[in-house]
Amino acid sequence: MKKRLHFFNHSVGYLISCIQRIHRIKGGDNIRFPIEKLNPASKGEKIAGLIRYEIINGDLKPGEVVSENSIANKYNSSRSPSREALRILQNEGLLELKRMGAEIIGVSQKDIEELNDIRYLIESFAMKECAKQNNDELMAFLQFTVEKMKIAINNKDASELALQDTAFHQAIIKASNHNRIYHLWTSIEKIIITALLIATEKRFSTETEGTYKEFLVDSHLNIVDAIKKGDFNEIEDNLQEHFIDTRATVKNSVFINNSSIKE
């Protein structure tokens, strides 16, 4: 009888450990978020990227508390990368480190609006700087990136579309040759691209292909043409039109029917 009980306890314990390991693997891999495409520089940055996605997507809700140990278990890492990830996210204002763990702060609609305000100012400046340069290499890269966006749309690849969209705008910011502007961009880039990934994914599932394909492609090509012409007024007009759509897309995708977002 004792042998049977010992065997039963051992089997149950083994089964529980297997189930826990499966959950850790599922959490660590997070199929929906293409973290590897973002080229994280460390395990901590990779974990931060996955948690950032969960926070902005509403999977982790404001007020919830996570610990270094729970993160290490979920993502199959040691505590050191988990600690690094939490510090990264605290610096971004997405959580607050406390004695008993990290409390999720989340993002509000106001937070995203403010980030888009900063992004608009950055891109408006950068586009006008690029318009002064006659940079044929940049123009070729931007047009090539738009072609890759078309392919992503045809393949219904939301993550690739969002990444190419970001690459388009980042190339302009970098080509402005303004170190402080680029540094400011990199400080908000991760949150911006995560929100854009979520928005693009949901846009794919709710809008017909022709609705966004034509607008996305045309709006980016119009920006290229305006930079080529060196027309500052046209740059402003096209950028404003582009950002009206971007703001609406993020609002409708991230905040509508998402009760986890902080007020």
Side-chain angles (χ1 to χ4, degrees):
M1 181 67 178
K2 288 183 179 180
K3 287 183 178 180
R4 289 181 180 177
L5 184 60
H6 175 75
F7 177 77
F8 175 77
N9 288 337
H10 177 76
S11 299
V12 171
Y14 177 75
L15 179 60
I16 291 173
S17 68
C18 287
I19 293 172
Q20 289 173 336
R21 186 169 184 274
I22 289 170
H23 283 301
R24 289 200 297 270
I25 291 171
K26 285 176 70 178
D29 287 345
N30 200 327
I31 296 171
R32 292 182 300 170
F33 188 68
I35 186 64
E36 298 299 345
K37 290 185 178 182
L38 301 181
N39 299 315
S42 66
K43 179 73 171 177
E45 282 195 13
K46 178 178 181 180
I47 294 172
L50 294 169
I51 298 174
R52 185 185 298 110
Y53 178 88
E54 290 187 70
I55 292 172
I56 297 176
N57 197 45
D59 300 322
L60 282 174
K61 298 172 175 55
E64 288 188 27
V65 176
V66 295
S67 66
E68 289 179 11
N69 284 335
S70 66
I71 291 170
N73 287 334
K74 183 174 183 179
Y75 295 106
N76 294 322
S77 74
S78 64
R79 290 182 61 183
S80 180
S82 301
R83 191 177 305 119
E84 179 191 357
L86 292 177
R87 285 174 180 166
I88 289 170
L89 296 171
Q90 177 175 244
N91 289 338
E92 294 176 355
L94 295 177
L95 54 77
E96 182 181 358
L97 295 178
K98 297 187 174 181
R99 286 188 62 187
M100 300 304 292
E103 182 178 340
I104 304 300
I105 295 175
V107 290
S108 67
Q109 187 170 330
K110 185 173 183 291
D111 291 329
I112 295 296
E113 285 292 333
E114 290 176 352
L115 287 168
N116 275 321
D117 287 341
I118 295 170
R119 182 185 167 192
Y120 181 89
L121 293 172
I122 290 172
E123 294 201 39
S124 176
F125 172 85
M127 288 178 185
K128 290 169 185 175
E129 288 298 301
C130 290
K132 302 173 186 177
Q133 299 172 6
N134 295 319
N135 189 335
D136 291 337
E137 185 177 344
L138 173 64
M139 296 300 103
F141 176 83
L142 295 178
Q143 288 177 324
F144 180 63
T145 304
V146 173
E147 290 303 314
K148 291 200 282 188
M149 290 173 64
K150 290 181 186 177
I151 293 171
I153 292 171
N154 290 334
N155 291 337
K156 302 188 186 304
D157 189 339
S159 65
E160 183 64 18
L161 175 59
L163 291 170
Q164 293 303 329
D165 192 342
T166 304
F168 178 97
H169 294 277
Q170 181 165 303
I172 294 171
I173 297 166
K174 195 166 187 178
S176 70
N177 293 322
H178 195 295
N179 291 335
R180 288 298 169 183
I181 286 289
Y182 189 70
H183 178 72
L184 181 58
W185 159 252
T186 57
S187 70
I188 64 171
E189 172 195 10
K190 298 296 192 301
I191 295 178
I192 293 293
I193 191 172
T194 303
L196 184 60
L197 279 161
I198 293 168
T200 305
E201 183 181 66
K202 292 184 179 178
R203 193 170 193 175
F204 263 55
S205 63
T206 57
E207 295 184 26
T208 58
E209 181 180 318
T211 304
Y212 56 79
K213 177 178 179 180
E214 184 175 345
F215 176 81
L216 281 176
V217 171
D218 287 348
S219 65
H220 285 82
L221 289 177
N222 288 340
I223 288 171
V224 175
D225 288 340
I227 294 174
K228 276 184 180 179
K229 293 176 185 176
D231 188 327
F232 285 12
N233 290 329
E234 193 171 329
I235 287 172
E236 282 293 331
D237 289 344
N238 285 305
L239 190 59
Q240 284 181 16
E241 183 181 16
H242 183 74
F243 265 78
I244 288 171
D245 178 74
T246 299
R247 290 175 190 272
T249 300
V250 173
K251 179 180 177 180
N252 292 335
S253 301
V254 176
F255 297 102
I256 299 300
N257 297 325
N258 193 341
S259 60
S260 68
I261 299 300
K262 71 176 184 180
E263 298 296 331

